[in-house]
Amino acid sequence: MSTVGELVGTAGAEPAQGHTLLLDDQLCFALYAASRAVTARYRPLLEELGLTYPQYLVMLVLWEQDSISVRDLGAALQLESSTLSPLLKRLEAGGLLRRERRPDDERSVAIRLTEAGARLKERARTVPVDIGAAMGLTPEQHTLTQQLLRLLTANVSQG
Amino acid sequence: MSTVGELVGTAGAEPAQGHTLLLDDQLCFALYAASRAVTARYRPLLEELGLTYPQYLVMLVLWEQDSISVRDLGAALQLESSTLSPLLKRLEAGGLLRRERRPDDERSVAIRLTEAGARLKERARTVPVDIGAAMGLTPEQHTLTQQLLRLLTANVSQG
DNA sequence: TGCGATTAAATCGCACACAACTAATTCGTA
DNA sequence: TACGAATTAGTTGTGTGCGATTTAATCGCA
């Protein structure tokens, strides 16, 4: 099974949206299992960088936009400050970033990469490539999955 | 955006599989965000049943097949005993199930629903329907997403 | 200008998740 | 049949996630 066409073609073979209580009918379970499987696949790669998976996501945001508030980081990753605060503390302890209160608004905390944090980006470059290969999806399947997941997230987030 | 055709049609508008370090390029993040968003959507529904999301998944398995070993439960849900053991202890404390060593193999523990656990199934019937509605996918999109996620999980689980 | 409402992080409590390890039991085979 | 290997749960330690609350700072409006 390798093309979208083949996937669509087999769709009729199973009852769509069973609304039953069977585990294998639940899209939620497919999602939950896939998410943990992908995270597990990342684990050994990220271990070499000294990062967990959520920490890696934080670093992705910082490599893209340095000096960001905890608030905006939370908005980007859809995580609460109760999750981010201790996570950022660990990254700071690991020497990858610094947290400083903003002078113009002392409520806000700016997250800035250290030199080590910025340097780590180079070592991380191969990670998306390796994971992409492990996922084994065609470019078409990859894009389609991403779009379906975004649609699902948008609908579920408040519809 | 509502049909698979429309999704496929727009696929060419974005670079497929960027292999970059941009957060929004990462399929893994779409997956991670979608999984948490769906779980969050379940939360209020399951709270009425006194269940967390992973507890709900365990109950789904038990409603389908009562008297199952921790091992087989872990195989069905892809969870380690280190996750299941305390979770099952909480469900037992809540009176939904019992754990008993199997007489024929004392290493194994059989999980059995109590009367209350079995009764809860009726109150849970509407959950998949409500979630299905909140997901807002067409039957075709629903099935396609499930198939893509299964393919992804299979590939990533050891390729 | 003052003061209640709002906002931003952090803290606390609880429940996963998983690696590494332990304890008990059973298996397999020499 | 004895004994080392394998299997099954459970325990421990670390790191998320999130709701509820707390603390500090800023805002907004009378």
Side-chain angles (χ1 to χ4, degrees), chain A residues 20-26, chain B residues 57-68 76-77 113 121:
Chain A
T20 71
L21 287 173
L22 297 174
L23 180 66
D24 285 344
D25 277 5
Q26 310 301 319
Chain B
L57 294 179
V58 166
M59 295 304 289
L60 284 184
V61 175
L62 291 173
W63 288 327
E64 201 170 332
Q65 179 193 346
D66 199 359
S67 186
I68 188 176
L77 297 173
L113 290 174
K121 183 175 185 177

Side-chain angles (χ1 to χ4, degrees), chain A residues 32 43 69-71 81-82 85 89 99 107-109:
Chain A
Y32 168 78
R43 199 166 293 120
S69 66
V70 173
R71 183 193 117 89
S81 72
S82 50
S85 284
K89 211 176 273 189
R99 294 179 300 157
R107 290 173 303 181
S108 190
V109 167

Side-chain angles (χ1 to χ4, degrees), chain A residues 74-117:
Chain A
L77 297 173
Q78 299 285 42
L79 288 172
E80 302 296 319
S81 72
S82 50
T83 298
L84 285 175
S85 284
L87 188 157
L88 292 170
K89 211 176 273 189
R90 281 185 282 271
L91 287 175
E92 188 178 37
L96 296 180
L97 55 81
R98 272 190 286 273
R99 294 179 300 157
E100 323 166 340
R101 290 276 163 189
R102 283 199 202 279
D104 56 323
D105 186 343
E106 295 263 335
R107 290 173 303 181
S108 190
V109 167
I111 308 298
R112 289 178 209 281
L113 289 174
T114 60
E115 183 57 38

Side-chain angles (χ1 to χ4, degrees), chain B residues 73-105:
Chain B
L73 199 53
L77 297 173
Q78 299 288 18
L79 289 172
E80 302 296 319
S81 72
S82 50
T83 298
L84 285 175
S85 284
L87 189 157
L88 292 170
K89 210 177 273 188
R90 282 186 283 272
L91 287 175
E92 187 177 37
L96 296 180
L97 55 80
R98 272 189 286 273
R99 293 179 301 157
E100 322 167 340
R101 290 277 162 188
R102 283 199 202 279
D104 56 324
D105 186 343

Side-chain angles (χ1 to χ4, degrees), chain A residues 13-145:
Chain A
E14 302 177 8
Q17 266 162 304
H19 290 329
T20 71
L21 287 173
L22 297 174
L23 180 66
D24 285 344
D25 277 5
Q26 310 301 319
L27 177 52
C28 72
F29 177 66
L31 192 54
Y32 168 78
S35 181
R36 286 186 301 114
V38 168
T39 302
R41 187 72 184 213
Y42 269 97
R43 199 166 293 120
L45 299 180
L46 296 180
E47 198 167 357
E48 291 180 30
L49 305 181
L51 296 173
T52 66
Y53 178 70
Q55 289 169 5
Y56 169 71
L57 295 179
V58 166
M59 295 305 288
L60 284 184
V61 175
L62 291 173
W63 287 328
E64 202 170 332
Q65 180 192 345
D66 201 359
S67 187
I68 189 175
S69 66
V70 173
R71 183 193 117 89
D72 290 349
L73 198 53
L77 297 173
Q78 299 285 42
L79 288 172
E80 302 296 319
S81 72
S82 50
T83 298
L84 285 175
S85 284
L87 188 157
L88 292 170
K89 211 176 273 189
R90 281 185 282 271
L91 287 175
E92 188 178 37
L96 296 180
L97 55 81
R98 272 190 286 273
R99 294 179 300 157
E100 323 166 340
R101 290 276 163 189
R102 283 199 202 279
D104 56 323
D105 186 343
E106 295 263 335
R107 290 173 303 181
S108 190
V109 167
I111 308 298
R112 289 178 209 281
L113 289 174
T114 60
E115 183 57 38
R119 265 200 310 272
L120 195 60
K121 183 174 185 177
E122 292 316 311
R123 291 176 57 204
R125 289 229 186 263
T126 56
V127 172
V129 185
D130 292 349
I131 292 294
M135 287 181 171
L137 300 182
T138 66
E140 195 181 18
Q141 289 173 336
H142 185 102
T143 304
L144 183 56
T145 304

